[in-house]
Amino acid sequence: MRYSPRGPLRGPALLVAAAALTVVTACSNGSPSGAGSPSAAPTAPSRTGAAATTPAAPPTPTPSPTPTRTYPLSTAPRTVPAVRSHTPARGPGWKPAAAAGVVLGADSAGLADEARLLAGELGLRYRGEAAPEPGDVELSLGAGGAPESYALTVEDGRVRITGPDEAGVFYGTRTLKQSVRSGGSMPEGTVADRPAKPQRGLNVDIARKHFTAAWLEDRIREMGDLKLNQLGLHFSDDQGFRIESDSHPEVVSKQHLTKAEIRRILALAASRHVTVVPEIDSPGHLGAVIAAHPDLQLVSASGRTPRGAVDVSDPDAARIVDDLLREYAALFPGAYWHLGADEYVALMAKDPEASYPQLARAAREAYGPSGRVQDLATAWLNDRAATVRPTGKTLKAWNDGFFPGGVVSAAKDIEVEYWTGKEYGARPPLPYLQAGRRLVNLNDEYLYYVLGEPNDFTYPTGRRIYEQWTPLVVRGTAPVPARYDAQIQGARFAVWCDFSNAQTQDQVAAGIRLPLAALAQKVWDPRKPARTWPEFRALATKVRG
């Protein structure tokens, strides 16, 4: 505080002013009731004999502390699928910055591809194995947890993603990427996340409709961002055989994928932690093979030649199919192989033995008087499984290729891919589960996208999947008992091209986008979602970019 007297003071007025100045100075130095302090200026006698105070320079004000900024508790990141657990914290969260980078933790060199991909997507630098700096994202292996799980922590301006395997850390990077897309940042706090089911994916009928390699690669990128990990390729059917063959080039359709294109697809799939599951469907759906080898055609007692069905009693049919199985099992390195086995027309007749007497005779010769056509078909399935089994792949077959009550039973290690309870021989899901079989859900009530919408099929929008379906809903709309949950390995959304020209491949891609996102949500976390369908639909569009 500064005082500016208007003119000179004398006598008593001077004494009063001096006393007042003394009190003010003392108070400004923090002394109570005007008492002096060690830092007070000394006094000297005036010419009148009274003590006079020499004015001191104004003290430097003590600065007030800068208020600490407070943040509300964070909320969970907005992603598809939604994260299963988020522990909130107070803080600014994380945003990509020009100087930031993506680094690898110790002993995590196997994450280099994931780190480079994330860096490119977010406009960051990839710096390899290095200590994280402010603003960096660190990827690290070695944390405990379930397969494909991860933890993502935002703290002190950094992001750290850890997991027990590369797939889990990759899914953590998808959460980070989607959160930045949906809200511009990754919230403060910790995400702990894992999938509910180990098999989550898309099935595409590339046999009846040719899809380009670029189209399939786009679906793989989309699947990776949705944390889906399985792409089924049904590449052989009555209408076409769509992958180049060295063992039997005569069966290959004019429009097909080359092996070089398949290897490129497989490389991309591996980088997105997607396993490609190939399928050569037999003994039905082999029309493309029969077109090149008409002598393999099954013929009924009346002379009818059912489309796509080979004569399973003919050793040449087994030989050609086994040649193809060995060739493509070597091409596809993934952990699964689909043997098909659905809709074998001989077993869809009211009386298979009467309709196909040569099959009935072969069954009795092989399995005694109780042998039936279904035993011959089951033996075909087991023989094809034996051809592929030495590769170590997990074997799959459609549920209507398993028959009860026969002399021959399907091998116990073949997983059931359940799609229908409507075909001949198809049973409700419970008998398969009660027999101890593992099962993958492709419920045609919810998970089928059939081009041309035949047989009362309609193109799904995804809403019914999101609001009504769970992996326990295997057939129709009723769930199986929850005690079988562990046997249900997951689910795939399936595209079937019954009328191949009904949609272009671009229309198919647009049509399956939301159903695939809805499936991704429910196989990651089958609980009732927190968001409404309109909210989910908007978010799915936003995170896709």
Side-chain angles (χ1 to χ4, degrees):
M1 184 178 293
R2 180 161 44 189
Y3 292 87
S4 301
R6 292 174 180 264
L9 301 176
R10 294 180 177 83
L14 178 62
L15 292 175
V16 171
L21 183 59
T22 301
V23 170
V24 170
T25 302
C27 289
S28 70
N29 283 320
S31 299
S33 303
S37 72
S39 60
T43 58
S46 70
R47 282 179 296 178
T48 59
T53 301
T54 302
T60 302
T62 302
S64 300
T66 303
T68 301
R69 183 175 179 181
T70 59
Y71 297 91
L73 277 175
S74 60
T75 57
R78 300 175 69 243
T79 62
V80 176
V83 300
R84 291 172 67 95
S85 171
H86 176 254
T87 302
R90 299 184 189 277
W94 179 90
K95 293 181 179 181
V102 180
V103 301
L104 302 177
D107 301 319
S108 300
L111 296 172
D113 289 345
E114 288 77 6
R116 288 190 181 95
L117 176 64
L118 181 67
E121 291 169 332
L122 298 184
L124 307 176
R125 297 174 298 147
Y126 170 63
R127 296 198 289 110
E129 188 171 324
E133 298 176 359
D136 280 355
V137 177
E138 181 186 12
L139 308 184
S140 184
L141 287 170
E148 301 183 290
S149 66
Y150 69 93
L152 187 160
T153 300
V154 178
E155 187 178 30
D156 297 331
R158 298 184 180 93
V159 178
R160 188 165 191 260
I161 303 173
T162 61
D165 51 36
E166 294 174 16
V169 176
F170 172 71
Y171 296 142
T173 69
R174 301 306 86 192
T175 294
L176 180 61
K177 173 188 173 181
Q178 285 196 7
S179 182
V180 170
R181 278 190 173 178
S182 65
S185 65
M186 182 68 202
E188 201 86 4
T190 298
V191 168
D193 209 8
R194 61 176 178 81
K197 295 296 178 183
Q199 297 187 44
R200 312 175 301 278
L202 170 67
N203 211 74
V204 183
D205 171 10
I206 66 171
R208 283 177 274 197
K209 181 180 181 67
H210 174 65
F211 290 90
T212 65
W215 188 92
L216 291 168
E217 288 168 346
D218 284 344
R219 302 291 73 72
I220 289 168
R221 294 184 184 97
E222 184 178 354
M223 292 170 64
D225 282 356
L226 292 172
K227 302 183 176 79
L228 297 172
N229 66 356
Q230 206 173 79
L231 173 63
L233 292 182
H234 175 87
F235 68 89
S236 169
D237 211 303
D238 299 339
Q239 295 83 353
F241 193 104
R242 301 291 182 179
I243 298 178
E244 174 188 356
S245 173
D246 298 317
S247 66
H248 289 282
E250 73 279 2
V251 308
V252 179
S253 302
K254 183 176 180 180
Q255 279 190 309
H256 65 271
L257 298 169
T258 67
K259 287 189 174 181
E261 287 176 317
I262 289 295
R263 291 186 182 100
R264 192 178 77 202
I265 289 167
L266 291 169
L268 177 65
S271 74
R272 300 304 198 271
H273 297 277
V274 172
T275 298
V276 177
V277 183
E279 178 194 357
I280 296 178
D281 203 348
S282 77
H285 294 282
L286 281 172
V289 172
I290 292 171
H293 298 273
D295 53 312
L296 305 182
Q297 173 69 57
L298 177 66
V299 181
S300 74
S302 64
R304 191 171 70 90
T305 55
R307 188 179 189 185
V310 297
D311 185 335
V312 293
S313 66
D314 186 343
D316 283 343
R319 177 183 57 80
I320 291 176
V321 171
D322 283 348
D323 288 345
L324 295 168
L325 290 173
R326 292 187 185 97
E327 177 180 1
Y328 293 107
L331 176 63
F332 290 91
Y336 300 94
W337 185 275
H338 203 308
L339 296 163
D342 64 312
E343 296 181 317
Y344 185 48
V345 175
L347 288 172
M348 298 169 73
K350 287 185 178 179
D351 187 344
E353 284 71 32
S355 296
Y356 299 94
Q358 76 276 29
L359 297 184
R361 184 170 53 252
R364 289 192 299 270
E365 289 174 357
Y367 307 111
S370 298
R372 292 181 289 167
V373 174
Q374 75 168 53
D375 297 308
L376 214 60
T378 301
W380 171 280
L381 173 63
N382 288 342
D383 289 346
R384 306 294 76 76
T387 299
V388 179
R389 190 175 287 112
T391 67
K393 298 180 189 299
T394 295
L395 303 168
K396 298 171 170 287
W398 296 112
N399 68 286
D400 51 325
F402 296 79
F403 303 99
V407 175
V408 182
S409 298
K412 294 294 186 182
D413 62 341
I414 302 176
E415 285 186 353
V416 177
E417 298 252 309
Y418 197 100
W419 70 281
T420 183
K422 302 169 187 174
E423 298 291 340
Y424 173 85
R427 294 166 286 160
L430 276 181
Y432 303 91
L433 296 168
Q434 289 167 342
R437 289 195 184 272
R438 295 185 301 179
L439 182 150
V440 177
N441 188 333
L442 290 97
N443 184 343
D444 63 352
E445 176 74 23
Y446 294 92
L447 306 181
Y448 265 34
Y449 190 98
V450 185
L451 297 198
E453 301 181 303
N455 303 322
D456 298 325
F457 283 108
T458 58
Y459 296 129
T461 64
R463 183 167 193 159
R464 291 182 68 222
I465 300 172
Y466 187 75
E467 294 180 343
Q468 302 172 16
W469 178 86
T470 75
L472 290 173
V473 181
V474 179
R475 177 188 180 185
T477 59
V480 300
R483 65 180 177 272
Y484 295 112
D485 183 65
Q487 286 174 244
I488 298 174
Q489 300 297 291
R492 293 198 307 282
F493 184 80
V495 176
W496 297 105
C497 302
D498 290 35
F499 291 91
S500 60
N501 294 324
Q503 289 189 336
T504 66
Q505 63 175 15
D506 290 340
Q507 288 173 321
V508 173
I512 68 174
R513 182 178 60 82
L514 284 173
L516 200 59
L519 175 87
Q521 174 62 49
K522 300 302 282 289
V523 288
W524 192 265
D525 186 349
R527 296 173 297 183
K528 182 179 179 180
R531 294 184 177 87
T532 65
W533 170 250
E535 291 169 342
F536 177 84
R537 184 176 57 196
L539 178 59
T541 299
K542 192 166 189 178
V543 298
R544 187 171 184 267

